[in-house]
Amino acid sequence: QVQLGESGGGLVQPGGSLRLSCAASGTGFTAYNMGWYRQAPGNERALVATISRVGTTNYADSVKGRFTISRVNVNDTVFLRMNSLKPEDTAVYFCTADVFIKGMGRNDYWGQGTQVTVSS
Protein backbone atom coordinates (compact mmCIF):
# COMPACT_ATOMS: atom_id res chain seq x y z
CA GLN A 1 0.00 0.00 0.00
CA VAL A 2 2.92 2.36 0.64
CA GLN A 3 6.23 2.47 -1.17
CA LEU A 4 9.25 4.68 -0.55
CA GLY A 5 11.40 5.60 -3.52
CA GLU A 6 14.86 7.05 -2.90
CA SER A 7 17.34 8.84 -5.12
CA GLY A 8 20.38 11.08 -4.97
CA GLY A 9 23.18 8.94 -3.62
CA GLY A 10 26.58 8.82 -5.22
CA LEU A 11 30.28 9.50 -4.95
CA VAL A 12 31.46 12.88 -3.72
CA GLN A 13 34.76 14.35 -2.55
CA PRO A 14 35.28 15.44 1.05
CA GLY A 15 33.75 18.86 1.53
CA GLY A 16 31.25 18.30 -1.23
CA SER A 17 27.47 18.14 -1.17
CA LEU A 18 24.67 15.79 -2.11
CA ARG A 19 20.90 15.99 -1.96
CA LEU A 20 18.85 12.89 -1.26
CA SER A 21 15.16 12.62 -2.10
CA CYS A 22 12.50 10.17 -0.99
CA ALA A 23 8.83 10.05 -1.94
CA ALA A 24 6.12 7.93 -0.36
CA SER A 25 3.41 6.72 -2.70
CA GLY A 26 0.21 4.74 -2.31
CA THR A 27 -3.40 5.26 -1.30
CA GLY A 28 -5.29 5.91 1.90
CA PHE A 29 -2.30 6.87 4.01
CA THR A 30 -0.87 9.74 5.99
CA ALA A 31 2.86 10.06 6.55
CA TYR A 32 3.65 11.53 9.94
CA ASN A 33 7.33 11.59 10.83
CA MET A 34 9.71 11.06 7.94
CA GLY A 35 13.44 10.85 8.03
CA TRP A 36 16.77 9.38 7.14
CA TYR A 37 18.91 6.75 8.78
CA ARG A 38 22.29 5.44 7.70
CA GLN A 39 24.32 2.31 8.13
CA ALA A 40 28.06 2.12 7.65
CA PRO A 41 30.02 -1.15 7.53
CA GLY A 42 30.31 -2.61 11.00
CA ASN A 43 27.80 -0.18 12.47
CA GLU A 44 24.17 -0.31 13.48
CA ARG A 45 21.62 1.61 11.51
CA ALA A 46 21.59 5.06 13.09
CA LEU A 47 19.43 8.15 13.01
CA VAL A 48 20.53 10.97 10.73
CA ALA A 49 17.53 13.29 10.82
CA THR A 50 13.75 13.29 11.14
CA ILE A 51 11.03 15.82 10.43
CA SER A 52 7.39 16.01 11.44
CA ARG A 53 4.48 17.21 9.32
CA VAL A 54 4.71 20.63 10.96
CA GLY A 55 8.44 20.92 10.40
CA THR A 56 9.91 19.91 13.74
CA THR A 57 13.37 18.51 13.07
CA ASN A 58 15.76 16.26 14.91
CA TYR A 59 19.39 15.66 13.93
CA ALA A 60 22.16 13.38 15.02
CA ASP A 61 24.95 15.36 16.68
CA SER A 62 27.38 14.20 14.02
CA VAL A 63 25.48 15.99 11.24
CA LYS A 64 24.20 19.12 12.97
CA GLY A 65 25.14 22.24 11.09
CA ARG A 66 25.99 20.29 7.95
CA PHE A 67 22.81 18.45 6.96
CA THR A 68 19.33 19.88 6.47
CA ILE A 69 16.15 17.85 6.31
CA SER A 70 13.00 19.20 4.68
CA ARG A 71 9.71 17.90 3.32
CA VAL A 72 6.79 18.68 1.05
CA ASN A 73 3.67 17.22 2.61
CA VAL A 74 1.47 17.41 -0.47
CA ASN A 75 3.90 15.10 -2.26
CA ASP A 76 4.85 13.03 0.81
CA THR A 77 8.43 13.77 -0.06
CA VAL A 78 11.41 14.23 2.23
CA PHE A 79 14.82 15.62 1.33
CA LEU A 80 18.24 15.57 2.91
CA ARG A 81 20.72 18.22 1.89
CA MET A 82 24.19 17.14 2.91
CA ASN A 83 26.96 19.74 2.95
CA SER A 84 30.58 19.60 4.04
CA LEU A 85 30.61 15.86 3.62
CA LYS A 86 33.23 13.83 5.42
CA PRO A 87 34.55 10.32 4.78
CA GLU A 88 32.80 9.32 8.02
CA ASP A 89 29.48 10.09 6.33
CA THR A 90 30.00 7.18 3.95
CA ALA A 91 27.09 4.79 4.43
CA VAL A 92 23.93 3.42 2.95
CA TYR A 93 21.23 5.98 3.61
CA PHE A 94 17.69 4.75 4.20
CA CYS A 95 14.52 6.78 3.97
CA THR A 96 11.83 6.02 6.53
CA ALA A 97 8.26 7.10 7.08
CA ASP A 98 5.92 6.67 10.02
CA VAL A 99 2.69 5.93 8.15
CA PHE A 100 -0.93 5.64 9.20
CA ILE A 101 -3.19 3.66 6.89
CA LYS A 102 -6.92 3.79 7.55
CA GLY A 103 -8.22 0.41 8.59
CA MET A 104 -4.74 -0.94 9.16
CA GLY A 105 -2.92 1.21 11.67
CA ARG A 106 0.45 2.86 12.00
CA ASN A 107 3.70 1.31 10.87
CA ASP A 108 7.18 2.24 9.76
CA TYR A 109 8.13 1.92 6.11
CA TRP A 110 11.64 1.88 4.69
CA GLY A 111 13.24 2.58 1.36
CA GLN A 112 15.72 0.32 -0.34
CA GLY A 113 18.69 2.47 0.61
CA THR A 114 21.02 4.62 -1.45
CA GLN A 115 24.81 4.53 -1.22
CA VAL A 116 26.69 7.69 -0.29
CA THR A 117 30.45 7.48 -0.64
CA VAL A 118 32.71 10.36 0.41
CA SER A 119 36.21 9.85 -0.89
CA SER A 120 39.00 11.49 -2.87
Side-chain angles (χ1 to χ4, degrees):
Q1 288 185 301
V2 178
Q3 301 266 141
L4 300 181
E6 301 165 317
S7 64
L11 175 65
V12 65
Q13 294 189 120
S17 298
L18 284 174
R19 184 187 186 233
L20 307 183
S21 300
C22 173
S25 61
T27 58
F29 76 94
T30 301
Y32 289 98
N33 291 324
M34 300 186 76
W36 296 91
Y37 285 65
R38 66 186 181 186
Q39 188 166 18
N43 289 7
E44 293 263 285
R45 189 174 297 187
L47 171 75
V48 177
T50 61
I51 184 167
S52 74
R53 289 186 66 83
V54 297
T56 301
T57 58
N58 182 43
Y59 295 93
D61 287 343
S62 59
V63 307
K64 284 180 180 177
R66 300 188 297 121
F67 291 11
T68 303
I69 190 169
S70 60
R71 69 187 289 170
V72 179
N73 290 342
V74 70
N75 298 127
D76 293 310
T77 302
V78 63
F79 305 93
L80 186 69
R81 174 68 176 181
M82 304 183 292
N83 294 328
S84 302
L85 282 161
K86 305 174 180 179
E88 307 92 270
D89 296 316
T90 296
V92 178
Y93 284 69
F94 296 91
C95 176
T96 188
D98 175 20
V99 173
F100 175 81
I101 303 175
K102 187 176 180 180
M104 181 177 175
R106 191 164 175 171
N107 290 103
D108 292 333
Y109 287 80
W110 294 87
Q112 297 270 65
T114 184
Q115 177 71 47
V116 172
T117 302
V118 185
S119 176
S120 297

